[in-house]
Amino acid sequence: MWCASCLASACAGCTCNLCASAASAVPRRSARLAYCGLFAASLVLAFLLRQFGAPLLQQIPWINAFDQTPPDAWFQMNAVLRVSLGNFLFFAIFALMMIGIKDQNDRRDAWHHGGWTAKIAVWAVLIVLMFCVPNIVITIYEVLSKFGSGLFLLVQVVMLLDFTNNWNDSWVEKDEKKWEIALLVVTVVCYLATFAFSGVLFMWFNPSGHDCGLNVFFIVMTLILAFAFAIVALHPQVNGSVMPASVISVYCAYLCYTGLSSEPDDYECNGLHMHSKQVSMGALILGMLTTVLSVVYSAVRAGSSTTFLSPPSSPRSGAKNPLLGDEEKGKGDDKESEPRPVTYSYTFFHLIFALASMYSAMLLTGWTSAVSESSELMNVGWTTVWVRICTEWVTATLYIWTLIAPLLFPDRDFS
């Protein structure tokens, strides 16, 4: 009994000790990356508990409060959701605390950048406490996580568009022949990859002898979108570039693959059903890696005054190095008495991590509370399929909107 009740404490304690050993050495300028490290630690903790924590959770009476004990997969998913809830509360509390910060003279600016030993302790305590709440709280959080995950996917798409546009602009501004050739090479490679990958999808998810009209529709729609991106971007009235269109095409093809590969292993049109375990684990790792990259990119871009993370009061001059920008200098470095404005929204920064906590829980539980026959099959099911496919379509819609919006609203500044 006591061993089971200390499960989360032991796991979180190990993570806490590892993080706290370096907490005092975290400089102000590296605070954002430290938050990324804390988020990554929560992913590792959730994954370990999912793999090995079920036998211990079965011994906790307020969790295993059933006349008939559920299968191990239920306890695995429950452990993931509890870790996710603790992580979500940590970042959500910080998001609320940071509302309204406009300059570095605000006392809360120091809370955002410092006090890492206390932060890690609070993070660990919140995760441990989540293993003391009743199951109804976790059930409610699971439902809310599906909506929060949808918001995070939208943010992820906006970040991808921001990344591709900045990548293209940085190479175009160099105005050198070699960079123009590099843009052409990237564009050609991305389009070749898109069409080759789509052909492979036809072979894997449209096996002969079966009526797989839905899969064919998904794949054909992906190809149509790739052509549409290029046509719209190359239109003379559109201020677009074909390189971002090619990158978005590859990403849409990837989303189509993750959606199709998430079809149930007993579905006759899933040509990967013989390798469903490996595919599920591979898709999970890719999804978690994409999530980590998204939050890391948000941390990097958060230091740039030109990003959508910037509050209205921030300077608009931009920073060449977002992570080491002027806003990270200590207050003592400024000899003037004028307060230095913050260059990004601390609230939105923490909100991204909170939503990412929800999304990572959905990745590890397959977006559904239904327990599959094999607990090894993560992120598999029709709910996951439609989430992935809808994400692809939303990505396409937002990208085309960024191209045509200046034409539809010429009086507005979309730079």
Side-chain angles (χ1 to χ4, degrees):
M1 178 74 67
W2 281 104
C3 178
S5 63
C6 292
L7 168 66
S9 179
C11 294
C14 292
T15 306
C16 182
N17 290 335
L18 291 174
C19 297
S21 61
S24 59
V26 175
R28 176 184 171 89
R29 66 176 57 189
S30 301
R32 282 161 288 173
L33 292 183
Y35 283 114
C36 295
L38 203 60
F39 175 78
S42 71
L43 289 182
V44 173
L45 178 61
F47 182 79
L48 291 177
L49 287 176
R50 190 192 191 285
Q51 296 299 104
F52 309 108
L56 295 178
L57 261 68
Q58 292 173 358
Q59 305 302 317
I60 302 179
W62 55 87
I63 294 180
N64 188 10
F66 305 96
D67 295 332
Q68 184 176 359
T69 302
D72 288 349
W74 185 89
F75 292 97
Q76 293 172 338
M77 296 167 61
N78 191 270
V80 169
L81 290 168
R82 289 175 185 271
V83 173
S84 172
L85 178 56
N87 205 47
F88 168 80
L89 289 176
F90 175 82
F91 288 109
I93 290 172
F94 266 91
L96 293 174
M97 290 171 56
M98 301 298 153
I99 292 177
I101 295 182
K102 296 181 179 180
D103 59 72
Q104 295 184 25
N105 286 351
D106 194 309
R107 180 179 300 178
R108 293 172 296 171
D109 179 83
W111 299 352
H112 174 72
H113 291 96
W116 280 99
T117 300
K119 287 178 184 176
I120 294 172
V122 170
W123 172 80
V125 168
L126 283 174
I127 291 180
V128 171
L129 288 178
M130 293 308 101
F131 285 83
C132 300
V133 301
N135 291 328
I136 184 62
V137 175
I138 306 303
T139 301
I140 295 174
Y141 174 70
E142 180 186 3
V143 175
L144 295 178
S145 291
K146 295 178 180 179
F147 295 96
S149 299
L151 291 177
F152 176 76
L153 286 173
L154 291 178
V155 173
Q156 194 176 67
V157 169
V158 172
M159 290 179 183
L160 176 64
L161 296 175
D162 179 67
F163 170 75
T164 54
N165 288 326
N166 280 281
W167 180 11
N168 180 78
D169 293 342
S170 65
W171 283 11
V172 170
E173 289 173 356
K174 296 181 185 297
D175 196 21
E176 297 180 13
K177 190 69 174 180
K178 63 179 181 180
W179 294 110
E180 293 177 0
I181 296 176
L183 282 173
L184 178 61
V185 170
V186 171
T187 301
V188 172
V189 169
C190 287
Y191 271 121
L192 289 177
T194 300
F195 298 135
F197 196 24
S198 298
V200 173
L201 294 182
F202 270 111
M203 293 187 295
W204 284 352
F205 299 101
N206 186 31
S208 59
H210 299 287
D211 182 13
C212 303
L214 183 61
N215 287 359
V216 172
F217 170 73
F218 290 154
I219 300 171
V220 171
M221 180 61 68
T222 300
L223 290 172
I224 293 175
L225 290 175
F227 282 109
F229 296 157
I231 294 173
V232 175
L234 293 175
H235 194 278
Q237 291 185 328
V238 174
N239 185 24
S241 174
V242 72
M243 195 278 278
S246 66
V247 175
I248 299 298
S249 297
V250 170
Y251 182 67
C252 286
Y254 162 73
L255 289 177
C256 183
Y257 160 73
T258 58
L260 294 175
S261 64
S262 298
E263 292 175 340
D265 60 327
D266 57 352
Y267 182 49
E268 59 185 10
C269 292
N270 185 355
L272 298 180
H273 64 87
M274 296 299 295
H275 308 283
S276 55
K277 177 178 177 180
Q278 295 88 333
V279 171
S280 176
M281 183 62 70
L284 174 69
I285 293 175
L286 283 175
M288 292 179 66
L289 179 61
T290 303
T291 304
V292 172
L293 290 176
S294 296
V295 296
V296 169
Y297 184 69
S298 73
V300 173
R301 287 293 292 160
S304 171
S305 62
T306 60
T307 184
F308 62 91
L309 292 175
S310 305
S313 61
S314 65
R316 305 303 301 174
S317 59
K320 292 183 179 180
N321 191 336
L323 282 179
L324 307 178
D326 292 339
E327 59 88 17
E328 296 295 3
K329 295 180 181 179
K331 298 175 187 176
D333 296 338
D334 191 355
K335 298 181 180 180
E336 299 180 3
S337 59
E338 287 189 14
R340 295 173 56 86
V342 298
T343 56
Y344 66 97
S345 170
Y346 296 166
T347 293
F348 193 78
F349 176 81
H350 288 288
L351 182 60
I352 289 178
F353 282 87
L355 295 177
S357 300
M358 290 182 161
Y359 178 65
S360 61
M362 293 298 98
L363 281 178
L364 287 167
T365 60
W367 293 82
T368 177
S369 58
V371 178
S372 60
E373 294 181 2
S374 173
S375 61
E376 298 295 331
L377 297 180
M378 295 174 283
N379 207 27
V380 170
W382 285 111
T383 302
T384 304
V385 172
W386 283 105
V387 167
R388 299 290 191 180
I389 296 299
C390 289
T391 301
E392 176 192 352
W393 295 344
V394 170
T395 300
T397 302
L398 288 178
Y399 174 65
I400 293 178
W401 171 254
T402 61
L403 295 176
I404 66 175
L407 296 179
L408 299 178
F409 303 96
D411 296 332
R412 296 187 60 180
D413 182 14
F414 291 91
S415 59

